[in-house]
Amino acid sequence: MPADPSPRGSGETPLRRAADTSRRAAPSPEARRPATSAVEVRRSSRRRRTVSAYREGDRTVVLIPARMSEAEERRWVVVMLDKLAAQESKRILGDGELADRAERLSGQFLEGRARPASVRWVTNQNTRWGSCTPAEGSIRLSHRLQGMPEYVIDYVLLHELAHLLVPGHGPRFWELLESYPRTERARGYLEGVVAADRLPHLPAARRE
């Protein structure tokens, strides 16, 4: 699965809150995610290319450039909330757990027809999120997925499981993924990661 599927990154230039030129509540993401703290978006005219987020009491503050569009704002709110959740959980699945998840996902969404011989993390996939070799029944996931939300990892796993049944990306392949309810959200998250990696300064989820 290519790293660019169709906005993770670190290091941002800290800015004082006094530089924020506008503050307002972001559209609530609660319809798309479990109930969590309120979200406030703060736009800054001094912030050019970076996006960051941090917890502030019972709310989450997302800092974005003032020139960012409404659509970009909505996308980055979701991405940064997911980044914070992933950083806070800090749970890394082992190879055995990956294999167990693959078996569960195959049974739940593919009628148990995809049966990989091996599922494991690898560190040599920097341009792909995952890959599979149908002839060997092997699935490999990039270590860059470690720490991302579990629904994203599940999507990549399911994507590679589907390749054990259908090699290409034609209509039959995407039909296999239709039943996974978070396909579009997971793809959007990975697109956000790719977009962030292309920025001169990568966004970070920071805390104060």
Side-chain angles (χ1 to χ4, degrees):
M1 178 181 179
D4 194 344
S6 1
R8 150 181 123 189
S10 62
E12 67 108 24
T13 304
L15 297 176
R16 296 179 180 177
R17 291 183 192 169
D20 294 329
T21 57
S22 69
R23 303 183 179 186
R24 60 190 179 79
S28 172
E30 293 165 357
R32 296 195 292 175
R33 63 189 299 112
T36 185
S37 59
V39 178
E40 179 184 336
V41 172
R42 299 179 183 176
R43 289 176 175 260
S44 170
S45 59
R46 293 177 57 186
R47 184 176 289 266
R48 300 297 182 183
R49 297 185 177 89
T50 63
V51 178
S52 67
Y54 60 91
R55 306 295 190 195
E56 187 176 80
D58 62 351
R59 62 181 171 176
T60 301
V61 178
V62 180
L63 308 176
I64 65 174
R67 61 182 176 79
M68 188 170 284
S69 70
E70 295 293 325
E72 289 175 319
E73 174 186 318
R74 290 192 295 271
R75 180 185 67 184
W76 278 107
V77 165
V78 173
V79 168
M80 298 310 289
L81 286 175
D82 282 339
K83 275 182 64 69
L84 278 176
Q87 289 178 358
E88 290 167 353
S89 66
K90 295 180 180 179
R91 180 168 182 267
I92 304 300
L93 300 174
D95 289 350
E97 291 177 293
L98 278 183
D100 290 341
R101 294 179 81 86
E103 181 179 359
R104 175 180 60 79
L105 290 167
S106 177
Q108 185 174 358
F109 299 105
L110 301 174
E111 300 178 343
R113 292 183 293 134
R115 299 178 180 178
S118 65
V119 184
R120 61 189 176 91
W121 296 107
V122 294
T123 59
N124 61 352
Q125 290 191 154
N126 295 317
T127 60
R128 302 174 68 86
W129 296 118
S131 63
C132 78
T133 306
E136 300 175 357
S138 62
I139 290 177
R140 298 166 296 280
L141 297 192
S142 171
H143 72 287
R144 295 182 303 140
L145 288 165
Q146 293 176 341
M148 290 190 187
E150 290 188 358
Y151 76 87
V152 176
I153 297 173
D154 282 352
Y155 166 71
V156 178
L157 263 177
L158 190 59
H159 185 108
E160 302 309 331
L161 285 167
H163 275 314
L164 292 178
L165 304 176
V166 180
H169 288 95
R172 287 185 58 236
F173 173 83
W174 293 110
E175 286 174 4
L176 295 176
L177 297 182
E178 284 182 352
S179 59
Y180 183 62
R182 293 188 171 185
T183 290
E184 291 306 316
R185 183 178 174 193
R187 285 172 60 83
Y189 182 93
L190 293 173
E191 287 170 0
V193 171
V194 172
D197 285 342
R198 291 172 178 167
L199 293 175
H201 301 285
L202 301 180
R206 69 179 177 86
R207 301 176 183 176
E208 290 191 354

